[in-house]
Structure formats: C-alpha cells, structure tokens
Amino acid sequence: MDGPLILGIETSCDETAAAVVAGGARRLSNVVLSQVPVHRLYGGIVPELASREHLRGIVPIVRQALEKAEVELAAVDAIAVTRGPGLAGALLVGITYAKALALAAGKPLIGVHHLAGHIHAVLLDRREQGLPEPEWPAVALVVSGGHTALFRVARQANGSFEYKLLGQTRDDAAGEAGDKVAKLLGLGYPGGPIIDRLAEHGEERAIAFTRPKLKGADRDLDFSFSGLKTAVLRYTQTHPLAAGIAARQALTAGGAKPPLEALRAACDAETLNLIASFQYAVARELSEKTVAAAERIGAAGILLTGGVAANRRLRRELAATAAERGWEVMAPPIALCTDNAAMIAAAAAPQFAMADFATWDLPASPQLPLAAR
Ligand code: KG4
Ligand code: ZN
C-alpha cells in the first residue's frame, strides 16, 4: 500500500516548487525553480519580484512535476499547498493555483504549514532510505533564511503530529544573519553557501565572539543573531579589511557570481578567520541550544532541517554535541533541506489521513505560527 498520492506546491519565498509524493514516503518528482538569479541583482529577496516570478513559473513547474512523476492530475488523491508563513504575495500565487487545480480536478485541498514541511522532509528522507521512523518526542531545529526555531515534535496515537515551540530567534534568523554578514564582506548573495565554502580556509577559533545574553527566565532556548552580525560589522570597521571588501564587492557587483576560487583569492587570512569564526559561533549556538532542548524534554532524537541545515560545519557541530550525550541527529540531504514541495506533499500525508482538508477560502497566512510555547 503506497498511501495517498499527493501533489505538493510551495511558493512561500523565492523558490517555485512542485512535487508528487506517494504516501509521504517516496518522491516521484521534486521540481524546484530557484529565483536566486533574479534577486541576486538586488542582494536580497524583493517581494514584488518574487510574486512575479512565481506567476511566471507556477504553471510549467507543476506540469513538469506531474510529467516527471508520470502521473495525471486525475490520479492524484489531493493537492497540498504551503499556506504560510512566508511572503503574502508569493504564498497567494501557490494557494490560488492550488485551489484552481483542486476545484477543476475535483480533488481535496490541504493547507500545509511551511515549517511542518521542513520537519517532514526529515521523515520523507528516512522513509525513502528505508530507515526506521524517529522515536518521539523529538526536538526539531528548523533553521533557514526566514526561521530559527526549536520544536518538540510528537506523533499522536491517531497518526497526527503535535508541535510545541521551545525557542526561537528574537531578531535575525541564522540564515538571514549569514546572508547579511556575507553581504557586508562583499561575498554576494545568498551568502550562506559561500560562507560554508570559504570558512574551511580560516581559523574558526581566531575570534571569540561573545554569546548573546537573553532576558526572561523561561526563554533560555531562544536565539539572537543580530548582536553577532553587528560584532562582525564592528570588526570590519576596526581592522584593515576595507580594501578587501571593496575588491570583493567589485567581483560580485551587478549580481555577478564569481567562481569560489576568485572570491577566496580576494580574501586575506584575517577575513577568512572572521568568516570561519562567525560560522563557528552560529553553529555552536544552534548546537548547544538544540541539545539543551533535547535534554529538557527528554527527547528520543534530534531533527535538523531548513536551508541552513545544509551548512556542513553546523551538521558536524550538532552531530558531535549530540553524540556526546547519546543522541543521533537526523538531517535530510541538501535538496530536501532547502525549500521544496516534496516536503509539503509529505507533511500533507498525515493530514490527508485525518481528512484535514482546507476550505475554498483558505487564506495566505504570512505570519502563521506552527505552535505555541
Ligand atoms: O529553507 P530556505 O531555502 O528558505 C527559507 O525558508 O528561508 O533557506 C535559505 C537560507 C539562506 O539564508 C541561505 O543562505 C541559507 O539558507 N543556506 C546556507 C547554506 N545553504 C543555504 N547557510 C549556510 N550554509 C549553507 N551551506
Ligand atoms: Zn523554508
């Protein structure tokens, strides 16, 4: 028994994505159209352009997902779409198209929370690999350009999932901080993957950044990355890094994407140390709080997901910190960490089983929380 065949659609940010997933367990297709080349020109995501690009991409991307899966729309059991959080105009493109398809084909519509999608990416990957289901409760660290949050995740007897917020960022998301640091160092956009590659050439203990102090007795699992970002800025202002920054800005001007070797050649040792030390500070902060959260709730396992989960240093740091206390870290491959629609279709499978269908007035919910504390 394969379970429901679900067409997933994701347009919450800057990826137009569609996928067909069988039973929350097997990708028949997973098509992602990245808008990075469009936004790179501006050094960040421009919401109006995101909506326009989704409008351009949504029809062909959904068609490709069905074609690659060799599935007719008539054969899918439901259409799942990201209902939030995300950019309002971007979400609306996916939601409106999903409604039209569902209505025309006579299929149920399922509204999926984007962060539930990221969490289900871990489960989808494990099922595809024939690995056992995680034991519950688990702690999930969802870390991306828009989010940095820790959740307690449990599966109920009836198969539905229950989430509880344990901590979240009070300012920048980790990915956002990385993108901003990369921008101020002239490394181009998006900066996370570039920092990941350049950091291996620097000494990560060179600069000891002070850890953020968070007020609030029950808020010690929250994060803050804006202070770290400011500390990097101050470092660039108090050390002789300006010429290097200008040289790299010239390389990345106008949305150009120079080869990594060219960027590396334009970085002196001090800059590489700064990049490595920043990345290490983020990885350590995320890892220590995730393991503290796992301890607090007596978690059976740890899930790591979201775009920043692609970061190799974070994966290593969290795996090592967790292993010291006996936990395994479950993280999907990079294609399932960054935004995609397979994770949305996978998260929709237990909702399908519960007949948790959306009505035709399903709105876009830009600020939708996944769970309360
Ligand atoms: O999940 P995602 O694709 O979109 C959001 O929901 O935000 O995450 C995108 C974020 C960006 O900030 C990007 O710089 C970051 O993930 N990212 C990385 C890496 N790959 C992507 N950050 C650090 N290291 C990476 N290898
Ligand atoms: Zn995301």
Side-chain angles (χ1 to χ4, degrees):
M1 174 54 190
D2 241 2
L5 198 56
I6 298 182
L7 169 66
I9 296 178
E10 152 66 41
T11 63
S12 68
C13 192
D14 61 341
E15 260 95 29
T16 313
V20 179
V21 175
R26 194 161 53 91
R27 274 173 289 179
L28 302 187
S29 64
N30 188 24
V31 183
V32 181
L33 173 66
S34 169
Q35 302 178 359
V36 163
V38 175
H39 299 291
R40 186 180 281 132
L41 275 166
Y42 306 91
I45 296 167
V46 183
E48 291 77 7
L49 293 183
S51 308
R52 187 191 75 188
E53 293 303 307
H54 285 308
L55 274 171
R56 276 194 186 153
I58 188 75
V59 175
I61 291 302
V62 169
R63 188 183 304 134
Q64 275 180 43
L66 290 167
E67 276 170 7
K68 282 199 179 156
E70 297 184 19
V71 163
E72 302 278 342
L73 184 59
V76 308
D77 294 303
I79 296 171
V81 65
T82 305
R83 56 193 286 247
L87 301 169
L91 286 164
L92 267 177
V93 176
I95 292 172
T96 309
Y97 190 57
K99 281 179 189 170
L101 279 182
L103 206 51
K107 305 291 177 184
L109 179 70
I110 300 175
V112 176
H113 193 286
H114 183 75
L115 300 190
H118 276 302
I119 290 169
H120 280 265
V122 182
L123 309 185
L124 169 61
D125 172 51
R126 290 182 71 80
R127 291 170 190 150
E128 282 188 339
Q129 295 201 53
L131 294 167
E133 291 285 303
E135 286 177 38
W136 310 109
V139 158
L141 171 64
V142 183
V143 61
S144 71
H147 308 275
T148 300
L150 285 164
F151 296 100
R152 179 187 189 275
V153 186
R155 187 163 201 175
Q156 314 280 77
N158 68 8
S160 70
F161 283 78
E162 182 193 62
Y163 307 98
K164 185 171 179 285
L165 180 67
L166 301 171
Q168 66 184 340
T169 184
R170 298 192 175 178
D171 39 60
D172 290 353
E176 186 184 0
D179 292 339
K180 286 177 180 168
V181 160
K183 190 174 183 178
L184 75 89
L185 292 175
L187 297 172
Y189 172 87
I194 301 168
I195 287 178
D196 189 344
R197 295 287 153 188
L198 291 178
E200 53 185 81
H201 304 290
E203 167 49 58
E204 66 183 21
R205 315 261 171 164
I207 305 159
F209 290 109
T210 48
R211 322 268 311 248
K213 288 190 187 59
L214 298 172
K215 295 201 180 75
D218 58 342
R219 294 289 195 259
D220 56 324
L221 295 176
D222 277 354
F223 300 98
S224 168
F225 293 106
S226 73
L228 179 60
K229 175 192 67 189
T230 309
V232 173
L233 174 63
R234 207 168 301 126
Y235 192 95
T236 64
Q237 292 163 340
T238 50
H239 294 76
L241 302 180
I245 292 173
R248 292 186 297 275
Q249 279 170 342
L251 284 174
T252 55
K257 190 175 186 292
L260 190 79
E261 268 318 303
L263 272 180
R264 187 190 156 190
C267 291
D268 57 11
E270 193 168 20
T271 300
L272 292 169
N273 290 349
L274 177 60
I275 292 167
S277 301
F278 164 79
Q279 176 178 260
Y280 177 58
V282 173
R284 195 188 49 183
E285 188 69 9
L286 291 169
S287 300
E288 288 185 2
K289 292 212 165 132
T290 302
V291 172
E295 250 161 14
R296 184 152 322 158
I297 67 154
I302 295 175
L303 315 184
L304 169 64
T305 186
V308 179
N311 186 268
R312 295 168 304 159
R313 186 68 186 91
L314 170 61
R315 283 179 179 246
R316 249 193 306 132
E317 185 67 16
L318 180 56
T321 313
E324 275 172 21
R325 328 245 177 112
W327 277 294
E328 182 199 356
V329 176
M330 294 163 261
I334 289 169
L336 286 174
C337 282
T338 50
D339 285 351
N340 65 86
M343 70 185 196
I344 300 303
Q351 291 182 243
F352 182 88
M354 307 284 301
D356 176 11
F357 300 130
T359 49
W360 299 121
D361 57 358
L362 176 75
S365 303
Q367 310 287 347
L368 190 68
L370 175 60
R373 289 201 190 242

